[in-house]
Amino acid sequence: MSRVNIVTRACNRLEYTVLNIRETHKVNNLYPYTHIIIEQNSSDGTKQWLRSMELEGFYSLKVKYNTVNTGDAGGMRDGFDLSDDDCDYIMQLDNDLIPITEDFVEKLVNIMDEDPKIGGI
């Protein structure tokens, strides 16, 4: 599977989630990663958009659709539960963060590979 799993929690704010997924792909489309989205029972069309993206298959997505908002800790736990067994790193990326640095996933992995004491950045 993917060496890196990115966990993003989404509760409403569809416009941020769309930009987050698209921009993450745009700046990292050559690096193997899986984007895990924890959908926290949005009411603004986020669920429908994510379902259409899963059907389209363009992005490397795994989505869990919660029936209640489990918060930051619960959402991250859900992300860990969905992570690939063979991934080396799991990173959190809030849905309102828009990656702008080219190859940011690969750059972070290189830093973490160089120093095993680093648990997160």
Side-chain angles (χ1 to χ4, degrees):
M1 287 299 200
S2 298
R3 183 152 193 236
V4 175
N5 287 182
I6 300 171
V7 178
T8 299
R9 297 168 323 280
C11 185
N12 293 319
R13 303 183 340 159
L14 171 61
E15 64 278 10
Y16 290 112
T17 302
V18 169
L19 285 171
N20 176 282
I21 291 169
R22 287 182 179 165
E23 291 302 310
T24 299
H25 176 76
K26 179 180 171 183
V27 299
N28 294 290
N29 65 355
L30 298 179
Y31 193 85
Y33 73 93
T34 299
H35 205 152
I36 297 171
I37 309 296
I38 306 304
E39 206 301 303
Q40 300 275 42
N41 200 30
S42 298
S43 60
D44 67 345
T46 299
K47 289 183 263 198
Q48 293 82 357
W49 184 80
L50 288 169
R51 284 189 180 103
S52 72
M53 291 301 99
E54 286 182 293
L55 288 173
E56 184 178 282
F58 182 74
Y59 301 110
S60 179
L61 296 178
K62 283 186 182 180
V63 183
K64 179 176 184 202
Y65 297 92
N66 285 342
T67 57
V68 296
N69 186 338
T70 59
D72 289 344
M76 284 306 296
R77 177 61 193 191
D78 289 338
F80 285 117
D81 290 345
L82 280 179
S83 65
D84 298 326
D85 291 335
D86 59 350
C87 83
D88 293 321
Y89 299 109
I90 300 171
M91 31 188 327
Q92 175 182 339
L93 186 64
D94 290 342
N95 75 330
D96 61 355
L97 180 74
I98 309 303
I100 57 171
T101 304
E102 195 72 26
D103 302 320
F104 86 95
V105 171
E106 183 175 10
K107 289 174 182 174
L108 286 175
V109 166
N110 290 339
I111 291 168
M112 291 185 283
D113 280 346
E114 289 174 13
D115 187 351
K117 294 179 194 172
I118 296 174
I121 297 177

